[in-house]
Amino acid sequence: MRDEQPMSPTAILEPAQEDQLWQVEQRLVRDHDELPPELVRHEVARARALFTSARITTFVPILVERTARRRLSDSSIGSDSPLTQAMDQSGDYARSMSLRTWGWYTAKQLLADELPRRWAHTRGVAHRAAEVARSLPAEDRQILIAAAWLHDIGYAEELIDTGFHQLDGARYLAARGVPRRVCALVAHHAGAAAVAAVRGLSAELAEFDDEQGPVRDALWYCDMTTAPDGTPVSFAERMRELRARRSPDDPVIQALAGNESERAAAVSRTEELLHSTATLV
């Protein structure tokens, strides 16, 4: 049974329009499945409230969808949501909420204001992860999306300890009770082992296991095919951008000699997975 969001008595919709609005909500939840569903529903309800006094209601479903889509694509999405206001102020992971919801909220709190470009990249990676997750077993989907939201939180100033963002992010998550598997995916994303070797942090990174499976590959794929501004790019374009942005003595660039082929292999395996599952549909 669908959840109804009653409108003001001043706006009476025909049953067919009510059904269209429900379909709009379901479509937006599906199209933005990197976001918490309750956040998407809040934006639909908020958009609907804008048209409660409309005398002509024929186009209300279309206008609601356009308004909600525009809001859901805004980087500030969720700032005034009851979901944000209700989150645990301690910052610890609460198992009463979904990992995806906690991951989105935590990444937003740490990155959106301080590092807006990093937040744009994170949103792009999470959106890509939601698309890829449809090709994974059900039990792995939320793990991937949560890891995508959280993969770069180690760049936030308050988390910096070693200066190795994969490790700093993973340790932060572990200290807050996040499932160990998500912590490990964050720790090892984007060829972290080779970077750790360059930086002399291999022993520290070994605190977290590298699962080396489809979910880990998928996280690498999402990161390696998303530009810093959040737009999709090819793996080759991402590597060119990385080299152009960082200096030759940067540990990330030095590590490419050891992990670029590993990154490429993870991308290739994920592309094969996407192709194989697409042919089954």
Side-chain angles (χ1 to χ4, degrees), residues 116-216:
R117 188 168 172 82
R118 183 67 56 183
W119 174 236
H121 169 72
T122 296
R123 293 181 75 236
V125 172
H127 184 74
R128 209 155 176 80
E131 297 174 339
V132 176
R134 298 165 191 163
S135 298
L136 295 172
E139 63 271 18
D140 290 335
R141 294 169 188 169
Q142 187 168 198
I143 295 290
L144 173 62
I145 296 172
W149 278 120
L150 297 164
H151 79 286
D152 272 354
I153 61 170
Y155 283 111
E157 184 175 0
E158 69 177 271
L159 271 62
I160 295 174
D161 179 23
T162 66
F164 181 23
H165 83 276
Q166 289 101 321
L167 180 61
D168 290 343
R171 284 177 166 174
Y172 174 88
L173 296 173
R176 277 148 186 79
V178 172
R180 195 73 178 177
R181 188 181 180 195
V182 174
C183 300
L185 286 166
V186 169
H188 285 278
H189 81 271
V195 182
V198 173
R199 301 187 64 144
L201 291 170
S202 294
E204 289 81 354
L205 185 64
E207 297 170 19
F208 301 95
D209 294 332
D210 184 2
E211 67 176 61
Q212 298 190 11
V215 178
R216 178 257 218 181

Side-chain angles (χ1 to χ4, degrees), residues 217-239:
D217 284 350
L219 180 60
W220 290 30
Y221 167 85
C222 295
D223 189 19
M224 292 296 98
T225 58
T226 303
D229 64 358
T231 57
V233 293
S234 69
F235 174 71
E237 290 171 323
R238 184 79 158 95
M239 290 298 96

Side-chain angles (χ1 to χ4, degrees), residues 89-136:
Q89 295 303 306
S90 72
D92 290 345
Y93 169 59
R95 286 171 175 77
S96 59
M97 72 180 69
S98 72
L99 266 174
R100 172 177 52 182
T101 297
W102 190 89
W104 161 78
Y105 173 79
T106 300
K108 178 177 174 58
Q109 292 297 101
L110 291 169
L111 300 176
D113 293 333
E114 179 187 332
L115 300 168
R117 188 168 172 82
R118 183 67 56 183
W119 174 236
H121 169 72
T122 296
R123 293 181 75 236
V125 172
H127 184 74
R128 209 155 176 80
E131 297 174 339
V132 176
R134 298 165 191 163
S135 298
L136 295 172

